[in-house]
Amino acid sequence: METSKIFTTLLSLVVLFAAIWFSRDDGYSVLPNKLQQVLHAMLEVEQQYHVGEVQIAVGYGACKDIFVQGSLLMGAMTPPQRTAHFSRIDSIEQLKEMYALFYTAGSAAERYVGNETLFSETLAAAEAVPGSYSTLGGNAPVMASRFASEGAKVLLAAKRTPYIMQKINSNIIVGGVETEGADDIHLILEYKAGESWGTYQAPRANRFIMHSDDSNPTLSTVEYFGEQLTAFKPHLFVVGGLQMMDNFPFAPGVREERLIAVRDQIVSLPVTTRVHFEMASFTDTDLLTGLIQHVIPYADSLGMNEQELPNLYSMVKYGNVSLVSDFNPRVAVVLDQMREVFQLLRETEEKGGKRHLTRLHLHTLAYQAIMVLKDSPWKNTLAASIKAALTANRHVCGNTEISIDNARMLMDDGFTLSEAEGAGRVLFDNHRPVSCWTEDDGKVEVCIAPVLICTQVRQTAGGGDNISAAGLILQI
Ligand SMILES: *[C@@H]1O[C@H](CO)[C@@H](O)[C@H](O)[C@H]1NC(C)=O
Ligand SMILES: *[C@@H]1O[C@H](CO)[C@@H](O)[C@H](O)[C@H]1NC(C)=O
Ligand SMILES: *[C@@H]1O[C@H](CO)[C@@H](O)[C@H](O)[C@H]1NC(C)=O
């Protein structure tokens, strides 16, 4: 996308506020507790929606995730004198300084480790920490598993290694090459809200991920997967896992070649197959530029978190990357950024397989925001935002049963619709906790659902993928 075009595009922000409250105003006002009322109202809506016969293909890659408590692994080391940012990790000092940076910001991060000795030593240390465990990971398998457990038929683009084949939900078809090769390993350091390391303190629970993949970044399954993808005839194709390419030492031109292969894979599908791209923690400007050129204009839908939105916004608007951002941004701020990104990408000219953006899902700690073009096939936006919000609690607490004893709400007195002067305000109502409205002359629908934030954190990694998948499944 040209910057000149972006600069001259005027944002037509007509917030036609027509809130559609979903819930009746009777019944459970007897519930004693505010959280209980909110939960009840949301569960009631969720129960009314069921997943139909849908086929979903998901790419790319899979890995073995090793989880360890950051406080036990990093806590055993002397905290660094300063925090610092690096695009990749080559030494233990860099690891400490970068971990401290993201930890104090409460921001999720994922970085490539260029030093193999460092990676294997850190991995060995992590595996020796009590309570560390491993699971099948990667954006694509997590989303695929969520879709499969919701009842969809799923095809996953990943190598068929013994570990993956043993761990994957048996209903999922794995469409990659059969190999005895080693699995790519991701080391996930989870930390809790309020935890400290020397003088550093974490404001919220989050994770820091390290990897030294040599197979996932090259998206080696793309070609092998092509034939199966076409035969599978998916209703939805979800593209994720491309952050593995971030700061990977590609030979000149190879990264772009791989992005073009992804583009061609998308373009090979009929326009009736909707395409969702899940953003992630990208820091490499060249990669983001490549995505904005070769992948994002080919997607109907985008999913991202509160760090990835400002990053994409900054990239499409100014051509630069934002590294660390507010971990709990105000609704008005993100709505303005969403409107601008949505507006810009909605104008994509539909040629050469490019698609207009018709859906944007933002998942944050405190709320879920979904923006869709009314005149598009996406349905049930309200229910989707509720399912996404409920999934956030279930995932982080590791329990399908939501307990209000382990929950709190950050968004409880309402929000302003925009930072623009005179913007309306939505007051929070316990019995109608989700608000939806239309704007831009009725062309765009927006829903905001509060998250019952889990306070007994089991795992944050994979949350975005589960949440995004839960939102998508009710919209196709
Ligand atoms: C790689 O890591 C090892 C282990 O921490 C360290 O001894 C070595 O100096 C590092 N290499 C570089 C180039 O920093
Ligand atoms: C990106 O560029 C804009 C406009 O030049 C500037 O205002 C903003 O601070 C920059 N952001 C970063 C993260 O450098
Ligand atoms: C999220 O996905 C992972 C991987 O499939 C799964 O183990 C976990 O239970 C999921 N969480 C929820 C709430 O479904």
Side-chain angles (χ1 to χ4, degrees), residues 90-91 115 118 121:
D90 289 305
S91 71
N115 180 336
L118 175 65
E121 285 178 7

mmCIF file of all heavy atoms in Angstrom, residues 90-91 115 118 121, ligand 1:
data_model
loop_
_atom_site.group_PDB
_atom_site.id
_atom_site.type_symbol
_atom_site.label_atom_id
_atom_site.label_comp_id
_atom_site.label_asym_id
_atom_site.label_seq_id
_atom_site.Cartn_x
_atom_site.Cartn_y
_atom_site.Cartn_z
ATOM 1 N N ASP A 90 21.491 -13.290 20.908
ATOM 2 C CA ASP A 90 22.739 -13.999 20.652
ATOM 3 C C ASP A 90 23.552 -14.289 21.896
ATOM 4 O O ASP A 90 24.507 -15.059 21.838
ATOM 5 C CB ASP A 90 23.588 -13.221 19.629
ATOM 6 C CG ASP A 90 22.977 -13.280 18.237
ATOM 7 O OD1 ASP A 90 22.748 -14.403 17.752
ATOM 8 O OD2 ASP A 90 22.690 -12.223 17.659
ATOM 9 N N SER A 91 23.191 -13.665 23.018
ATOM 10 C CA SER A 91 23.951 -13.926 24.241
ATOM 11 C C SER A 91 23.028 -13.887 25.449
ATOM 12 O O SER A 91 21.913 -13.361 25.382
ATOM 13 C CB SER A 91 25.046 -12.874 24.408
ATOM 14 O OG SER A 91 24.452 -11.639 24.739
ATOM 15 N N ASN A 115 22.074 -17.966 18.652
ATOM 16 C CA ASN A 115 23.183 -18.692 19.258
ATOM 17 C C ASN A 115 22.683 -20.077 19.717
ATOM 18 O O ASN A 115 21.961 -20.195 20.704
ATOM 19 C CB ASN A 115 23.686 -17.856 20.446
ATOM 20 C CG ASN A 115 24.843 -18.493 21.179
ATOM 21 O OD1 ASN A 115 25.028 -19.712 21.125
ATOM 22 N ND2 ASN A 115 25.608 -17.674 21.883
ATOM 23 N N LEU A 118 23.538 -21.213 23.272
ATOM 24 C CA LEU A 118 22.712 -20.524 24.255
ATOM 25 C C LEU A 118 21.328 -21.159 24.306
ATOM 26 O O LEU A 118 20.782 -21.415 25.382
ATOM 27 C CB LEU A 118 22.603 -19.039 23.883
ATOM 28 C CG LEU A 118 21.663 -18.214 24.754
ATOM 29 C CD1 LEU A 118 22.174 -18.133 26.180
ATOM 30 C CD2 LEU A 118 21.481 -16.808 24.184
ATOM 31 N N GLU A 121 21.479 -24.666 25.929
ATOM 32 C CA GLU A 121 21.753 -24.572 27.369
ATOM 33 C C GLU A 121 20.537 -24.051 28.140
ATOM 34 O O GLU A 121 20.196 -24.563 29.208
ATOM 35 C CB GLU A 121 22.955 -23.647 27.632
ATOM 36 C CG GLU A 121 24.280 -24.313 27.286
ATOM 37 C CD GLU A 121 25.496 -23.401 27.487
ATOM 38 O OE1 GLU A 121 25.339 -22.284 28.032
ATOM 39 O OE2 GLU A 121 26.599 -23.817 27.092
HETATM 40 C C1 LIG B 1 26.678 -18.118 22.722
HETATM 41 O O1 LIG B 1 26.238 -18.561 23.973
HETATM 42 C C2 LIG B 1 27.222 -19.204 24.749
HETATM 43 C C3 LIG B 1 26.529 -19.765 25.988
HETATM 44 O O2 LIG B 1 25.878 -18.760 26.717
HETATM 45 C C4 LIG B 1 28.335 -18.214 25.072
HETATM 46 O O3 LIG B 1 29.360 -18.879 25.791
HETATM 47 C C5 LIG B 1 28.890 -17.639 23.765
HETATM 48 O O4 LIG B 1 29.814 -16.614 24.062
HETATM 49 C C6 LIG B 1 27.756 -17.070 22.927
HETATM 50 N N1 LIG B 1 28.261 -16.629 21.626
HETATM 51 C C7 LIG B 1 28.184 -15.374 21.224
HETATM 52 C C8 LIG B 1 28.685 -15.120 19.845
HETATM 53 O O5 LIG B 1 27.728 -14.483 21.922
#
